[in-house]
Amino acid sequence: MVLGLRLHSALYPSWGLACLLPRSFASCPGKSDSCLMMPQLGLLHRRAWASLLGQLRRPPGAVCIRAVHSHSQVAEATLTSQLKPHEEKSNFIIKTPKGTRDLSPQQMVVREKILDMVVSCFKRHGAKGLDTPAFELKEMLTEKYGEDSMLIYDLKDQGGELLSLRYDLTVPFARYLAMNKVKKMKRYHVGKDFDIAGQFDPMIPDAECLKIMCEILSGLQLGDFLIKVNDRRILDGIFAVCGIPESKFHAICSSIDKLDKMSWKDVRHEMVAKKGLAPEVADRVGDYVQCHGGVSLVEQMFQDSGLSQNQHALEGLRDLKLLFEYLTLFGVAEKISFDLSLARGLDYYTGVIYEAVLLQTSARAGEEPLNVGSVAAGGRYDGLVGMFDPKGHKVPCVGLSIGVERIFSIVEQRMKTFGEKIRTTETEVFVATPQKNFLQERLKLIAELWDAGIKAELMYKNNPKLLTQLHYCENMGIPLMVIIGEQELKEGVIKLRSVASREEVAIKRENLVAEIQKQLSKS
């Protein structure tokens, strides 16, 4: 399959991957990035590959591969024509696959700014970059996500191995650590995930993760936010104290995780009617999970007659108390809330968990409030690496994930609301001429600028009109224009024009680069 994709790209690079994308995509919340990835195509007969490679030599649009997916079956690939016969072409609908979208140049500028800020924060805290494949062996992903496992897309490769698209970036990271026998590492992954692996003193890495989350959300200026924290050991302690069988811990935890979207009444109904919990047990759980507060609530839970007798709960409470001490030293404790309703449904969490939400009161004047759910989340997963290690060696880990797509939706909505104009290029200088037959001089001049590291453009015409060139600079927000004509060539100078002020000054050719750099440094 990789060979097929690369050959396709080499023959028709202008196509990109669009023609080979299947119609079915997953749309996954939280850390999942499977909604952004291509479900791989299944095994093809040799004759089918021969037919495909033959069709790739035809003009663009002549061939496409369509994958049919089912959660209960591995996706099988079949060859089909993307376009219907000529008489039916009028019915062909051009669109992106379900669950995906294109990003315009304006949107890409905003998205890249978000990612740049996130990555710069990760690097400021000493993280190394890491990437893993878009898909993993299916057995690596099974039984890691609880009820979310139904959202995983399965596929095959040419060797017959059962594969699945990665559902998040945490499980692949754990597999990487185990496979490479890495015991300590601080990394960021594809611009939005940050993890600290290794045996360290309690709560120091966890506190840094929460500090990073605060730095990023404050830097993005999304408005006021709150980070909810809890501990899976405390939840397990609550479940045990309330009389829930251990076999139902994960199922009930998944229900509790829905409290940010559903009322307690609806969650209670699910636990009783669908998961077989006794009504009085559900009510006892409700007394706990509707509590939230600061470090004072931690102290209150220490005094609880039930939790104080549960070893798992006590361990979690001690760690949370220490965590709040470190968060106070980091200056972010006021942004943190101990929230017993926070459950984080993924099965691999073992200790502290956290989730950041925007507060609705942060909406600006004239701005519609957006209900986007959590914008960042994470927690401790000390047992996950050991599940991949042949000898079961554990590597404690804690991490966080930034909800880049959700944050982008918020920023995009604000752009529309306030009509903010976004520059889609970073061009600093436009090379222009008022006269005909000056293409060669413009090409020589722009080459000088490029070689000096200056971002420059020119118009792809032999004889462009000066007014057209001026309008282009104004519309694109290009700050400077250099103009060369017969008089400038004769005198050995270049005119340097400020597009905003329309002021022009003649600069000697040999001093042009230095003067441009000087002007750009002022802006």
Side-chain angles (χ1 to χ4, degrees), residues 96-115:
T96 59
K98 185 178 180 181
T100 70
R101 64 169 173 170
D102 295 321
L103 292 178
S104 69
Q106 290 84 359
Q107 291 171 322
M108 279 302 300
V109 169
V110 176
R111 193 173 191 276
E112 287 174 358
K113 285 183 178 179
I114 293 171
L115 287 172

Side-chain angles (χ1 to χ4, degrees), residues 472-489:
Y472 179 81
C473 288
E474 291 173 353
N475 292 336
M476 298 300 294
I478 300 173
L480 298 175
M481 173 184 277
V482 292
I483 303 171
I484 185 169
E486 289 182 1
Q487 188 66 28
E488 288 78 20
L489 191 61

Side-chain angles (χ1 to χ4, degrees), residues 15 39 49 51 56 113 146 149 216 218 291 302 396 430 465 473:
W15 292 8
W49 274 114
S51 174
L56 285 173
K113 285 183 178 179
S149 294
I216 290 172
S218 297
C291 296
F302 271 118
F430 189 88
K465 294 180 179 179
C473 288

Side-chain angles (χ1 to χ4, degrees), residues 14-80:
S14 63
W15 292 8
L17 291 176
C19 184
L20 292 181
L21 286 175
R23 298 177 185 271
S24 179
F25 275 68
S27 180
C28 308
K31 294 179 70 171
S32 165
D33 64 354
S34 57
C35 55
L36 303 177
M37 301 299 175
M38 178 183 70
Q40 299 292 315
L41 305 176
L43 293 169
L44 297 180
H45 193 278
R46 289 182 179 177
R47 293 180 181 176
W49 274 114
S51 174
L52 170 61
L53 296 177
Q55 292 188 61
L56 285 173
R57 304 179 188 280
R58 300 180 184 178
V63 66
C64 186
I65 295 177
R66 180 173 62 195
V68 181
H69 175 75
S70 169
H71 284 135
S72 61
Q73 295 178 321
V74 174
E76 295 292 343
T78 58
L79 286 172
T80 184

Side-chain angles (χ1 to χ4, degrees), residues 233-243 283-291 295-315 317-318 338 340:
R233 293 166 296 179
I234 297 175
L235 272 178
D236 287 350
I238 289 172
F239 295 160
V241 167
C242 292
D283 290 337
R284 287 199 291 269
V285 172
D287 291 338
Y288 282 106
V289 300
Q290 296 181 81
C291 296
V295 68
S296 60
L297 180 59
V298 178
E299 297 290 354
Q300 182 182 329
M301 290 296 106
F302 271 118
Q303 307 305 317
D304 184 271
S305 58
L307 292 183
S308 62
Q309 301 302 312
N310 184 279
Q311 188 60 35
H312 288 298
L314 281 176
E315 289 175 0
L317 288 169
R318 291 191 193 105
F338 176 29
L340 286 166

